Amino acid sequence: MRALSWFVLATTCALVRSEDIIINPWQLAPPNSPYPDFNATVGDTISFFWSETEEHTVFIYPSRTCDGTDGILIGDTSPVIYTFTEEDSAPGGNPILFADGLDQLCVWGMRFLSLCE
């Protein structure tokens, strides 16, 4: 019985594996060309890096638009690290817009959607 318990525990731990998503560098791509979207699950971590000589921010925009009125600042000093939580997820996926809140950078392409399940 003890061997079966260890097998179940080991199997369960192997299934609960989070991913590290790295955005390096977090910078403007060709105008109006957003970063590719990606899928995430609870426990995944996304990290944003940029040069010390650049000024950037990372926001979540619940409206999923570049209108910053509802923006939630995640960070403004590199690196910015965000871990997806249960509140971020939904059956079938919950789209979360990450964007740079400085000037027009979101409109010009510093944005992407993450679908969290």
Side-chain angles (χ1 to χ4, degrees):
M1 181 67 168
R2 177 173 268 173
L4 179 59
S5 296
W6 277 108
F7 174 76
V8 171
L9 178 62
T11 305
T12 303
C13 290
L15 295 175
V16 182
R17 182 173 169 217
S18 61
E19 300 240 356
D20 293 324
I21 302 153
I22 307 294
I23 308 294
N24 187 10
W26 178 231
Q27 66 183 16
L28 188 62
N32 297 315
S33 298
Y35 282 74
D37 298 339
F38 67 90
N39 294 329
T41 58
V42 173
D44 287 356
T45 299
I46 183 168
S47 301
F48 299 83
F49 296 88
W50 59 87
S51 168
E52 293 178 6
T53 61
E54 297 177 359
E55 186 177 345
H56 291 293
T57 61
V58 180
F59 277 83
I60 290 178
Y61 289 142
S63 65
R64 295 188 296 278
T65 69
C66 288
D67 175 8
T69 58
D70 64 347
I72 302 165
L73 178 65
I74 303 303
D76 58 5
T77 303
S78 180
V80 172
I81 300 169
Y82 183 80
T83 302
F84 292 90
T85 66
E86 289 289 338
E87 291 81 30
D88 295 324
S89 68
N94 177 35
I96 300 169
L97 180 69
F98 289 89
D100 193 320
L102 293 178
D103 301 321
Q104 295 293 315
L105 292 178
C106 178
V107 173
W108 292 341
M110 285 190 72
R111 67 185 184 275
F112 62 87
L113 279 173
S114 171
L115 193 64
C116 185
E117 296 187 77

